[in-house]
Structures are given as C-alpha cells and as structure tokens.
Amino acid sequence: MMGVMPRVSLADVAPSIPLGPLDGRYRPVVASLVDHLSEAALNRERLHVEVEWLIHLTTTGAVPGARPLSEAEQAYLREVVATFGADEIAELAEIEKVTVHDVKAVEYFLKRRLATAREHLGDGTALPEVSELVHFALTSEDVNNLSYALMVRDAVSEVWAPAAQALVADIAAMADEHRDVAMLALTHGQPATPTTLGKELAVLAYRLRRQLGRISRDEYLGKLNGATGTYGAMLAAAPGTDWQAVSKSFVEHLGLVWNPLTTQIESHDWQAELYADMARFNRVLHNLATDVWTYISRGVFIQIPVPGATGSSTMPHKVNPIRFENAEANLEISCALLDTLGATLVTSRLQRDLTDSTTQRNIGPAFGHSLLAIDNVRRGLARLSVDTDMLATELEASWEVLAEPIQSAMRAAAVAGVPGMENPYERLKDMTRGQRITPDRLRAFVETLGLPADVARRLAALTPATYTGLAATLVDHLE
C-alpha cells in the first residue's frame, strides 16, 4: 500500500512487551500471584516435590539400600528450592530446550545439583549416589498434580483470600456505619418498603462471607501412584514396600489430602469445586458492583474526586464510576475462565489426555482478573460518601409506601374482631395505586378506618423514613 512506512516489530522489542493487561498495566495489583501461579512458580514447585520425594524415599526406607540423608544433605536439597531464582530459571529453560519436556528438565536440573553437592558439603555426602532416586517410579503427572495443588492452595490462602476477606471487612464496616441511614427500597425499579443503606450492604457482605466460608473448607487433593495409578513401577522395583502407605504419608506431608484412586492423573474434581465457589464469590461481587453503580447513578452515593484525575476527555464535570465498571468486566472474565477450568478439568479420555495440561496454565489469569476486580471495588468503595439529604427527600416524596403497614394493621384488627376492616388490601390499592399521596391525605384516611386508638396513633406517627422495620438491627448478623 502506497505511503505506508514499515513499522517497528513490537514482538522484537526488549524487554518483552506483555501480551495481556495482567502483565502490563495491571501488573502491580496482581504481581503477588506470580509467586504461586506463574510458569516459574510451577517449576519451583515441581522442584520442591522432587526434592521432598527424594528425602521421603530415603527417610522411610522405601527403597532398600538407600540410606537416610543427613540433616545437612536435606538442608542442601531444600536450599536448592529456596534459592530458585532468575539464574536457575534461565538454566532450567536451557535444559528444557534439549529435553523438550518440562518435568524431565526439572529432574536433570536437580541431578546437576546432586552432582555438585560435594563442593558445598564436602566428601562425606552421599547425594551423588542417590541420584537415580530423583523422580523414582514417578510419572510426570505425579509431580504436576502435587505442584498445582500446592500452587493453588497457597495462591488462595496467601493472596486471593486475604484480599477477598479485606474487601468483605470493608463492606461490613460500611454496613455498620450506615445501618441507620433510611432509604427508599426499589423492587422492580419501583418505590417499595423502606430499608436502610447499611442493611442492604450487610446483605452483600453476608453473601460474600458465606462464599469465603465455603472456599476455606475446600480440599486440595494429590496423588502419587505411577503411570496409570497402579503403583506398577514401584512394586516392580521394591515389591516388599507398602507403597500406598508411602504415597499417603508423602502427600499428607505436603499438606494435601491423599487421593487413593486415580488414573494417570489426579481427577481434578477438587479444582472444579474450588473454582465453582470462587466463581460464585465473583458473581455476588458483580452484583455488588452493579448495585453500587446504580446507587451512584441515582445520587445515593457521591464519588469523591481523585485530585488530578480525569473523568471524561470532553466533559470536565464527570466523575465516572470506573472502579465498579472495571470490576464488572474483570469478574466476568474471571468467571468465564473459572467455569472453563472447572468444566474441562473433570474430563480425561480413558487413562490420560493432555487437555488438562494447557488448561491449568490459565489458572493464573483466572485468579488475576478476580484479584484485580477485588482491588477495584475496594478502591471504589473507599471514595464514596452518602447523600443523606437526597435519601430523605426521596423518602418524603414516597408516602404511598405506607399503604403496606396500614393494610397489614387493618388485617390484624380484622382478626381481632374490629368491625369495618373488610378488604384492606383492595381499599389501600384503590387509594394509592398510580396516585400522588400526601402525609395529610394518608393520615386523614387512617382516621376514617375506625382502628383501635393505639393502632391509629402508631400509624399516624409513621413516616417513610421511620418505616424501616428491623433493618438497622439486622446488620448485627454480620457479627
């Protein structure tokens, strides 16, 4: 095409340009997940599993003739994991270029460290002699399933759950602060029985906290039983060993729940369960984001401007609810990924296929988009104030909502034998539906009903702002 100059190839720019936003503009928010759900974290966890398996084999005497490793030897091996950093990542990548197999590369990497152990520990070390116990009788999935379980467990407990808990604490604090702030409820978008802002926030905090409770009880399963889950290679090598006991004790040593019955792969059902719970948390949070966005659009919440920030490129007055809109989008992306993970991981053809391998590499983005949304909601909530004058004005303009307590009091009076209480619902409907109701008109109507004096006085004193029932007290359920 004439007049078009060739462009710089952005793919060749150094340092590398991120393909996605989580490793670009949003990196500071989600960086803590890199320690748990990145490619490098996966390889570090694989190395951890291989090291612990080697120690476990020698400690339990599972393989006859292998002596227990000394404390210094065990410490050396664990230090290999603890010091796994940039240089080691590069070295492992070079090994993988040759093996074209990621788990085998980890095995060779660890064997290199065993070969050089005497340089660090002296001539007394036996680590080079136990080199063939590295990856002993394992299939790659024995290493991978345990690694992913450890990665996901720690990503939840150390990063995602603390962020989610802090968010729920923020919402609960807002609910307590605004427990007495009366507001007009809207059901079907129409004026309805008044509530309090605090009670409505408490509903969302309670829902989110319940999902966190489910997530806290989710199990992280692991297996170690060979190429098709039969312990075949282990029995062939050491038929006198109780390999099920060795497997169970090893998986539990890692802090996981032992799965005794699998194919070549751990079935991943626990992952599907966890991701379903996380997706449900996301969806409740999405509900909060859309509700708060609506409250902002109605003027219930006023956004506190960020100094120097721009709301609109052309309309200087605007303060857009971008935190909640950003959260909505990221929650939808996270849910889509979590749903796909849960649906894909529970299925494997016969004894093994590799669909789970590439699928699990997307756990990080699923967590990342959720974490980003949590951060946005927290930041958005922190810059809100409540327009109590607006809420009071709206309530004062909605006296028709008192038709409900009046007809309910008439029903109770009818049950008590008070005459003239027939058809209370229908009479209030005729009076209020589609009509403008004033305080004087409503009170005059109450006076004509013939209600017991104490009931009439109570209803006459009622206003939309005071007709909030137990709303303020219900916030206490968050405690």
Side-chain angles (χ1 to χ4, degrees):
M1 204 162 98
M2 297 296 293
V4 177
M5 296 183 65
R7 297 182 174 186
V8 170
S9 172
L10 298 181
D12 298 328
V13 171
S16 299
I17 296 174
L19 179 61
L22 292 183
D23 285 317
R25 66 186 299 144
Y26 301 136
R27 171 79 176 198
V29 178
V30 302
S32 54
L33 287 172
V34 173
D35 266 340
H36 304 288
L37 297 176
S38 63
E39 187 78 15
L42 171 59
N43 282 327
R44 182 170 62 182
E45 217 57 69
R46 286 166 167 161
L47 187 60
H48 172 214
V49 171
E50 294 279 14
V51 163
E52 292 302 323
W53 179 235
L54 175 57
I55 293 173
H56 195 70
L57 286 174
T58 58
T59 300
T60 60
V63 180
R67 74 161 177 83
L69 302 180
S70 68
E71 289 186 6
E73 289 167 331
Q74 293 183 31
Y76 170 79
L77 289 172
R78 288 175 171 140
E79 187 177 2
V80 171
V81 180
T83 58
F84 186 79
D87 292 342
E88 292 73 21
I89 291 169
E91 180 184 349
L92 186 59
E94 289 300 316
I95 298 174
E96 189 177 341
K97 286 180 181 178
V98 178
T99 62
V100 196
H101 193 288
D102 46 9
V103 176
K104 202 67 178 175
V106 172
E107 177 187 343
Y108 289 166
F109 176 91
L110 181 55
K111 285 183 174 179
R112 284 186 180 183
R113 296 302 185 271
L114 266 65
T116 60
R118 288 194 176 114
E119 298 174 14
H120 303 273
L121 298 175
D123 293 336
T125 179
L127 287 178
E129 282 70 39
V130 297
S131 177
E132 289 311 313
L133 287 182
V134 175
H135 202 68
F136 177 80
L138 302 182
T139 183
S140 296
E141 177 59 15
D142 286 321
V143 177
N144 282 337
N145 91 93
L146 296 171
S147 298
Y148 273 112
L150 294 170
M151 291 162 62
V152 173
R153 181 196 66 187
D154 292 347
V156 171
S157 65
E158 297 180 19
V159 180
W160 186 87
Q165 289 160 357
L167 167 63
V168 175
D170 289 348
I171 301 166
M174 287 183 68
D176 186 58
E177 179 183 359
H178 302 302
R179 64 166 61 218
D180 295 312
V181 177
M183 65 181 288
L184 185 68
L186 296 177
T187 59
H188 309 282
Q190 306 300 308
T193 302
T195 181
T196 70
L197 179 57
K199 179 262 180 182
E200 299 311 310
L201 290 169
V203 169
L204 290 158
Y206 187 85
R207 294 175 65 193
L208 290 168
R209 186 176 289 171
R210 183 169 177 272
Q211 297 311 314
L212 288 179
R214 291 176 61 93
I215 291 167
S216 71
R217 294 187 293 274
D218 281 324
E219 295 180 317
Y220 300 84
L221 272 65
K223 75 97 182 180
L224 189 141
N225 50 21
T228 58
T230 65
Y231 301 92
M234 298 171 184
L235 283 170
T241 298
D242 184 348
W243 285 106
Q244 287 196 72
V246 172
S247 170
K248 185 175 187 292
S249 61
F250 178 65
V251 171
E252 292 177 348
H253 162 74
L254 294 176
L256 305 174
V257 176
W258 183 58
N259 187 341
L261 198 57
T262 76
T263 61
Q264 183 176 110
I265 70 166
E266 199 287 320
S267 307
H268 307 322
D269 295 346
W270 69 264
Q271 288 195 58
E273 293 157 3
L274 171 66
Y275 303 150
D277 288 339
M278 290 182 65
R280 197 176 305 107
F281 178 96
N282 282 349
R283 290 185 169 104
V284 176
L285 184 57
H286 189 282
N287 194 172
L288 180 143
T290 56
D291 273 7
V292 172
W293 186 98
T294 304
Y295 287 138
I296 292 170
S297 73
R298 294 184 57 242
V300 174
F301 284 126
I302 300 171
Q303 296 183 98
I304 303 169
V306 177
T310 297
S312 167
S313 62
T314 61
M315 294 175 280
H317 68 283
K318 294 191 73 178
V319 183
N320 293 330
I322 57 173
R323 294 295 170 202
F324 302 100
E325 293 169 342
N326 184 296
E328 286 182 50
N330 279 286
L331 290 166
E332 289 162 9
I333 295 170
S334 177
C335 285
L337 290 169
L338 291 169
D339 289 349
T340 299
L341 287 166
T344 301
L345 291 176
V346 294
T347 302
S348 182
R349 293 174 186 84
L350 303 179
Q351 283 68 54
R352 177 66 163 129
D353 69 41
L354 275 175
T355 52
D356 66 329
S357 178
T358 189
T359 300
Q360 289 180 105
R361 294 181 189 275
N362 291 283
I363 297 171
F367 277 57
H369 286 287
S370 179
L371 187 64
L372 179 59
I374 290 169
D375 179 75
N376 270 289
V377 172
R378 289 195 72 193
R379 292 166 70 183
L381 292 175
R383 301 200 68 84
L384 295 179
S385 62
V386 179
D387 190 340
T388 53
D389 291 339
M390 175 269 178
L391 292 175
T393 299
E394 189 174 55
L395 284 166
E396 187 60 26
S398 304
W399 281 74
E400 65 273 13
V401 298
L402 297 186
E404 180 190 42
I406 294 171
Q407 65 97 7
S408 296
M410 291 173 67
R411 288 175 183 267
V415 172
V418 177
M421 298 294 120
E422 297 81 9
N423 304 315
Y425 177 87
E426 290 74 18
R427 289 161 69 182
L428 268 296
K429 183 177 76 171
D430 291 342
M431 178 193 176
T432 60
R433 200 172 189 188
Q435 300 183 49
R436 172 74 174 168
I437 303 300
T438 65
D440 290 342
R441 185 181 174 198
L442 198 65
R443 286 169 179 149
F445 176 78
V446 171
E447 289 177 4
T448 67
L449 294 177
L451 287 163
D454 60 328
V455 176
R457 282 194 301 271
R458 187 172 71 246
L459 294 177
L462 201 59
T463 70
T466 60
Y467 180 46
T468 57
L470 298 175
T473 303
L474 292 173
V475 176
D476 290 337
H477 285 290
L478 290 179
E479 298 176 5

